[in-house]
Amino acid sequence: MKIYHTETQEDYDALMVELEKEGVTWAVTGNKPTASDVWGIHGNETCVKKEGNEITYATCIYFNGYKIEKYKANDTVNNPSHYNTGGIETLDYIKAKVKDYPSYAVGNIMKYITRYEHKNGIEDLKKARFYLDDLIKQMESEGK
């Protein structure tokens, strides 16, 4: 199960297109995701829950206590579209397969910090922060 928070209409529309590509449908109607525009009901508090191949929506407060992922249209740091092909996010696959994820994360942090002046500037620093935040979350969840 994944819960996505869409803060703008643009984010919501992009998420619906992405979910439609994955073959997901609305749980109640069976319609394609782009067939219903529910973003206006809750506005910037709209959350979409994907469970299996079905989606539902509610205000984000309804999902309090669950992990909620902010979905940004064309977010090259936190949700790059090229990492979601094949029905699984690449980072989720890596976490499932790599025995020492912390070393992988630290390697990426070092890579992005080292190259930021020479390649993508602030975007690389944000990517380093993404991996650092993710590593902290994982370690906190494991009680380390």
Side-chain angles (χ1 to χ4, degrees):
M1 172 178 69
K2 274 196 168 184
I3 301 169
Y4 300 99
H5 177 200
T6 57
E7 293 182 315
T8 68
Q9 180 76 55
E10 178 187 14
D11 296 338
Y12 172 85
D13 292 343
L15 176 61
M16 293 302 106
V17 169
E18 193 66 36
L19 292 173
E20 194 165 304
K21 287 179 188 174
E22 294 176 22
V24 173
T25 59
W26 285 102
V28 175
T29 63
N31 291 338
K32 293 180 178 182
T34 58
S36 300
D37 183 1
V38 300
W39 189 83
I41 296 169
H42 299 298
N44 64 357
E45 284 299 314
T46 301
C47 276
V48 176
K49 178 178 87 168
K50 176 187 171 202
E51 194 161 15
N53 283 329
E54 295 183 328
I55 55 173
T56 57
Y57 74 96
T59 181
C60 292
I61 292 171
Y62 180 79
F63 298 110
N64 193 25
Y66 291 93
K67 179 183 175 194
I68 298 174
E69 177 183 320
K70 281 192 192 246
Y71 185 91
K72 290 286 191 190
N74 302 315
D75 183 350
T76 59
V77 174
N78 299 302
N79 196 22
S81 60
H82 60 279
Y83 285 161
N84 286 316
T85 57
I88 184 170
E89 185 161 339
T90 303
L91 188 56
D92 292 338
Y93 182 76
I94 290 168
K95 286 178 181 179
K97 291 295 187 182
V98 174
K99 291 179 182 172
D100 185 13
Y101 175 73
S103 292
Y104 172 84
V106 168
N108 276 323
I109 293 164
M110 293 170 61
K111 170 181 73 174
Y112 288 120
I113 287 175
T114 302
R115 76 179 201 184
Y116 86 95
E117 291 180 296
H118 310 288
K119 192 166 182 189
N120 296 322
I122 291 174
E123 183 177 315
D124 277 351
L125 292 175
K126 288 179 178 179
K127 288 179 180 180
R129 181 175 58 197
F130 170 85
Y131 279 101
L132 179 59
D133 289 343
D134 194 55
L135 180 58
I136 290 168
K137 275 190 251 177
Q138 179 170 337
M139 293 183 77
E140 286 176 341
S141 72
E142 294 174 357
K144 293 183 180 178

